[in-house]
């Protein structure tokens, strides 16, 4: 079968085969997919296809086998999903972490970057300077200003002992300038009250 003959064969039989496979699978899009895949496989064999050897039957058989194979894979997947227990509840973010992230978002990008690198990722000032191309003094100034800005955003209301972010009562922990923990969570400054 030449390329032109194959193109004519495809144009004449694709709609009919898709209709037949739609009845078999119950899904027109699935039928189109498997018939198309069968034609792709036939394209590689088009030299062996002879018009008098029922190439349409070959395409139909391959498409039906593909549909059955897809159905079996889907059924095995569904059985696996049914046997797998649902994952346990994932705890939400810690309020201190949420407050810290919200406060960090309010900092200028340069200050936020050095605060995160130095305090949360444990990168030295010298390494930050090398990585960013900024002088060591600039990195230190950004750290100082960033910690001062964080101290303003993260406060503890000493009157009632309730953590507040920006005094608006949105929750969070107290972080004094220079007191970010290396593990990613803010370190609280104790008030000394009993």
């Amino acid at each position: 079968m030449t390329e032109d003959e194959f193109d004519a064969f495809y144009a004449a039989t694709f709609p009919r085969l898709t209709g037949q496979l739609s009845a078999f699978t119950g899904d027109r899009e699935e039928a189109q997919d498997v018939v198309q895949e069968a034609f792709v496989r036939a394209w590689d064999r088009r030299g062996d296809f002879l018009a008098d050897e029922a190439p349409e039957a070959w395409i139909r058989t391959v498409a039906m086998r593909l549909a059955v194979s897809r159905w079996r894979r889907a059924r095995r997947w569904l059985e696996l999903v049914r046997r797998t227990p649902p994952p346990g509840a994932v705890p939400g973010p810690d309020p201190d972490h949420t407050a810290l992230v919200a406060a960090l978002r309010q900092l200028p990008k340069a200050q936020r970057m050095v605060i995160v690198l130095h305090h949360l990722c444990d990168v030295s000032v010298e390494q930050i300077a090398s990585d960013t191309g900024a002088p060591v003094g600039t990195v230190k100034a950004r750290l100082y200003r960033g910690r001062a800005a964080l101290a303003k955003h993260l406060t503890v209301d000493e009157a009632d002992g309730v953590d507040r972010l920006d005094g608006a009562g949105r929750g969070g922990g107290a972080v004094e300038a220079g007191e970010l923990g290396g593990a990613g969570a803010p370190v609280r400054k104790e008030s000394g009250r009993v």
Side-chain angles (χ1 to χ4, degrees):
M1 190 180 281
T2 66
E3 288 184 18
D4 291 337
E5 291 172 334
F6 189 88
D7 290 344
F9 168 68
Y10 175 85
T13 58
F14 182 80
R16 180 171 49 248
L17 288 168
T18 300
Q20 293 167 358
L21 268 289
S22 288
F24 179 70
T25 63
D27 183 347
R28 183 154 184 84
E29 290 178 3
E30 177 73 13
Q32 289 173 336
D33 286 347
V34 294
V35 170
Q36 188 67 38
E37 177 65 26
F39 270 106
V40 167
R41 293 181 183 192
W43 175 260
D44 294 333
R45 302 169 162 248
R46 70 185 178 282
D48 300 334
F49 269 29
L50 298 174
D52 58 343
E53 290 189 8
E56 185 174 343
W58 187 90
I59 299 278
R60 184 182 314 104
T61 302
V62 170
M64 291 179 96
R65 288 179 181 164
L66 287 168
V68 168
S69 178
R70 286 182 175 194
W71 179 80
R72 285 180 179 155
R73 275 195 308 269
R75 187 181 68 187
R76 280 193 301 263
W77 179 83
L78 186 59
E79 288 171 1
L80 178 66
V81 168
R82 286 181 180 160
R83 279 186 267 144
T84 305
V90 178
D94 180 86
D96 289 340
H97 177 76
T98 304
L100 178 61
V101 170
L104 283 169
R105 286 184 180 156
Q106 296 179 28
L107 297 180
K109 182 180 177 183
Q111 290 176 10
R112 181 174 57 235
M113 182 171 55
V114 296
I115 291 283
V116 169
L117 289 174
H118 186 67
H119 292 290
L120 302 179
C121 300
D122 294 324
V123 178
S124 70
V125 171
E126 292 77 19
Q127 185 63 44
I128 295 171
S130 173
D131 291 348
T132 61
V136 172
T138 302
V139 172
K140 289 180 179 180
R142 288 175 181 166
L143 280 170
Y144 175 79
R145 290 182 187 121
R147 286 189 295 244
L150 280 178
K152 291 178 186 173
H153 294 301
L154 298 170
T155 62
V156 173
D157 188 345
E158 294 292 329
D160 59 8
V162 175
D163 294 345
R164 301 201 188 276
L165 176 61
D166 285 324
R170 289 178 285 192
V175 177
E176 293 292 327
E179 293 190 357
L180 288 177
V187 177
R188 289 178 184 249
K189 183 172 182 178
E190 296 298 323
S191 67
R193 293 186 302 150
V194 180

